[in-house]
């Protein structure tokens, strides 16, 4: 007897093949979505922002730099140490950060500049905290604005959230600097990071001037400018000279982030009489409250001995948590101040030992 077939039914073998075919189509579709999602995330959140604490292995660093430097991750973007050159280093791995042995891994960037000592005459030692990388995370900017401790923001020009960060800073009366992206020694010409640098090797003075003026158009009330990354740029007198010339013309002070030990930025600014400060401590390249407290204690010790210190941290969740706790603590020996107040208090010490 002939079996009745339901409308649209297929023989068992063909039905099985059809199911496998549909499963294959769904798998390829899901795979395509995965690749598209990964590509979108990669473009929206640059690698150095998603994993800011990772540095290059020391062997890789020695390959790109003629003088080996300890890997400290600097401001979280450069992998070359802002510290003193060291002998052939023995790498140790601490979590995701490859770095120097425990005692010297996070040595202060520099405690006293050899080419110009600055003093705070007759005032309480001052600690100026700079928060870098505003312009990437608008939601977190609002949270940082609520912190009850003097801070100075550093906003990256040309980022998706630059205008929002500037408006929040203006609304809350928070002083902000221009966090100008500069080329690092690890940036390969033509790479994304190279292209995102506003100051690059080989630029003419006119191109440097144009870059600074563009950043001032976006951030017109900036109280100073500091470098974002820039281990190559800040070590170049050919680049720093024209940069300081336009800053001097526009009356914009400079803060050397010190992402590399042989930076010439501070000395170049000083030679032109430009108001200039330099960073001594990176606070938050480990996601650990105890580590940040240790770094801050080191910064306070420098301020107590020298009279002032600049500390750099970043717009990150664990930094926000730590600064909230710091705001509730009482410090008798130092005063936390903004960068404009620090510039007003710190004076160069002349060769004869007198305050200039």
């Amino acid at each position: 007897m002939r079996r009745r077939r339901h409308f649209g039914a297929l023989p068992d073998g063909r039905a099985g093949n059809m199911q496998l075919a549909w499963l294959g189509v769904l798998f390829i579709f899901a795979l395509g979505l995965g690749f598209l999602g990964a590509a979108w995330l990669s473009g929206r959140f640059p690698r150095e922002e998603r994993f800011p604490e990772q540095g290059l292995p020391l062997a890789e660093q020695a390959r790109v730099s003629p003088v080996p430097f300890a890997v400290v991750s600097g401001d979280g973007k450069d992998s070359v140490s802002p510290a003193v050159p060291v002998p052939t280093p023995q790498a140790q791995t601490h979590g995701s950060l490859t770095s120097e042995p425990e005692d010297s891994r996070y040595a202060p960037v520099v405690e006293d500049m050899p080419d110009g000592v600055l003093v705070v005459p007759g005032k309480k030692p001052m600690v100026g905290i700079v928060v870098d990388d505003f312009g990437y995370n608008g939601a977190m900017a609002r949270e940082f604005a609520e912190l009850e401790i003097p801070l100075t923001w550093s906003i990256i020009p040309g980022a998706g959230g630059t205008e929002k960060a500037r408006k929040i800073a203006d609304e809350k009366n928070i002083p902000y600097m221009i966090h100008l992206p500069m080329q690092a020694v690890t940036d390969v010409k033509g790479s994304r990071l190279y292209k995102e640098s506003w100051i690059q090797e080989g630029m003419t003075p006119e191109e440097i001037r144009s870059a600074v003026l563009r950043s001032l158009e976006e951030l017109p009330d900036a109280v100073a400018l500091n470098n974002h990354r820039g281990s190559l740029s800040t070590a170049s007198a050919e680049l720093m000279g024209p940069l300081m010339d336009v800053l001097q013309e526009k009356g914009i002070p400079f803060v050397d982030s010190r992402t590399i030990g042989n930076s010439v930025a501070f000395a170049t600014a000083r030679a032109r009489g430009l108001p200039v400060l330099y960073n001594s401590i990176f606070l938050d390249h480990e996601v650990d409250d105890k580590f940040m407290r240790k770094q801050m204690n080191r910064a306070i010790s420098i301020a107590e001995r020298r009279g002032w210190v600049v500390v750099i941290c970043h717009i990150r969740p664990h930094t926000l948590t730590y600064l909230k706790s710091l705001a509730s603590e009482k410090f008798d020996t130092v005063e936390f101040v903004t960068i404009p107040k620090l510039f007003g208090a710190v004076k160069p010490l002349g060769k004869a030992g007198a305050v200039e």
Side-chain angles (χ1 to χ4, degrees):
M1 182 175 181
R2 189 171 181 178
R3 180 181 298 172
R4 177 178 297 175
R5 183 180 297 168
H6 294 289
F7 179 77
L10 295 173
D12 292 343
R14 289 182 62 190
N17 290 338
M18 184 66 74
Q19 288 175 347
L20 287 173
W22 275 109
L23 286 173
V25 169
L26 288 173
F27 175 77
I28 291 170
F29 180 71
L31 195 62
L33 283 179
F35 278 122
L36 286 173
W40 181 82
L41 285 172
S42 178
R44 186 173 177 84
F45 303 105
R47 185 182 186 281
E48 70 276 11
E49 290 306 315
R50 285 178 286 137
F51 307 101
E53 72 280 4
Q54 293 183 352
L56 290 178
L58 289 173
E60 176 70 7
Q61 185 52 54
R63 187 175 65 79
V64 298
S65 177
V67 181
F69 287 86
V71 176
V72 181
S73 285
D75 61 357
K77 314 300 180 303
D78 286 348
S79 347
V80 180
S81 167
V84 178
V86 294
T88 304
Q90 300 299 316
Q92 282 191 355
T93 301
H94 302 268
S96 60
L97 181 68
T98 302
S99 56
E100 278 297 279
E102 178 66 30
D103 290 342
S104 61
R105 286 186 305 153
Y106 306 114
V109 176
V110 62
E111 294 201 16
D112 286 310
M113 296 293 291
D115 46 8
V117 177
L118 305 179
V119 297
V120 182
K123 296 182 183 294
K124 196 173 187 179
M126 295 181 173
V127 178
I129 302 176
V130 175
V131 186
D132 278 353
D133 294 354
F134 282 88
Y136 286 137
N137 191 323
M140 196 172 292
R142 182 67 67 181
E143 293 187 71
F144 269 83
E146 301 302 324
L147 290 171
E148 296 181 358
I149 186 171
L151 299 173
T152 303
W153 290 6
S154 199
I155 306 174
I156 293 180
T162 298
E163 185 178 3
K164 182 173 183 178
R166 177 185 60 79
K167 287 181 177 179
I168 293 173
D170 287 341
E171 173 191 325
K172 294 291 185 177
N173 247 351
I174 299 169
Y176 65 80
M177 304 194 298
I178 297 169
H179 197 35
L180 196 65
M182 301 187 190
Q183 185 182 355
V185 295
T186 52
D187 292 346
V188 179
K189 190 171 182 178
S191 67
R192 179 179 58 83
L193 288 175
Y194 173 85
K195 292 176 181 176
E196 289 177 359
S197 298
W198 288 47
I199 305 296
Q200 303 167 343
E201 188 175 26
M203 287 180 71
T204 65
E206 291 74 21
E207 289 170 331
I208 293 171
R209 175 183 173 81
S210 176
V212 175
L213 293 180
R214 280 191 292 120
S215 72
L216 281 169
E217 286 177 4
E218 288 192 55
L219 300 164
D221 296 319
V223 298
L225 182 147
N226 75 327
N227 53 293
H228 173 62
R229 308 176 73 246
S231 54
L232 183 146
S233 298
T234 56
S236 168
E238 290 74 18
L239 296 176
M240 290 299 99
L243 176 75
M244 300 310 166
D245 287 340
V246 66
L247 292 182
Q248 185 180 39
E249 175 191 332
K250 296 299 178 182
I252 305 295
F254 183 74
V255 177
D256 189 353
S257 299
R258 298 291 294 179
T259 55
I260 194 166
N262 62 340
S263 169
V264 299
F266 177 84
T268 305
R270 281 277 282 129
R272 285 161 170 75
L274 183 71
V276 60
L277 296 170
Y278 55 86
N279 171 44
S280 287
I281 290 286
F282 287 109
L283 184 68
D284 58 352
H285 41 283
E286 279 196 6
V287 187
D288 178 66
D289 181 79
K290 186 182 295 185
F291 170 77
M292 284 186 280
R293 288 180 181 278
K294 178 182 175 182
Q295 291 295 86
M296 182 56 73
N297 287 337
R298 298 175 77 171
I300 289 172
S301 295
I302 294 173
E304 289 172 341
R305 177 182 58 76
R306 192 175 65 196
W308 66 279
V309 71
V310 172
V311 179
I312 288 182
C313 56
H314 302 83
I315 179 171
R316 298 172 182 165
H318 64 280
T319 306
L320 176 66
T321 301
Y322 171 70
L323 291 178
K324 283 180 180 178
S325 67
L326 185 69
S328 65
E329 296 181 30
K330 184 178 180 181
F331 294 87
D332 296 322
T333 60
V334 297
E335 178 186 3
F336 290 97
V337 299
T338 62
I339 292 302
K341 184 168 182 178
L342 191 53
F343 266 117
V346 170
K347 305 297 178 185
L349 191 63
K351 292 182 179 179
V355 177
E356 294 181 0

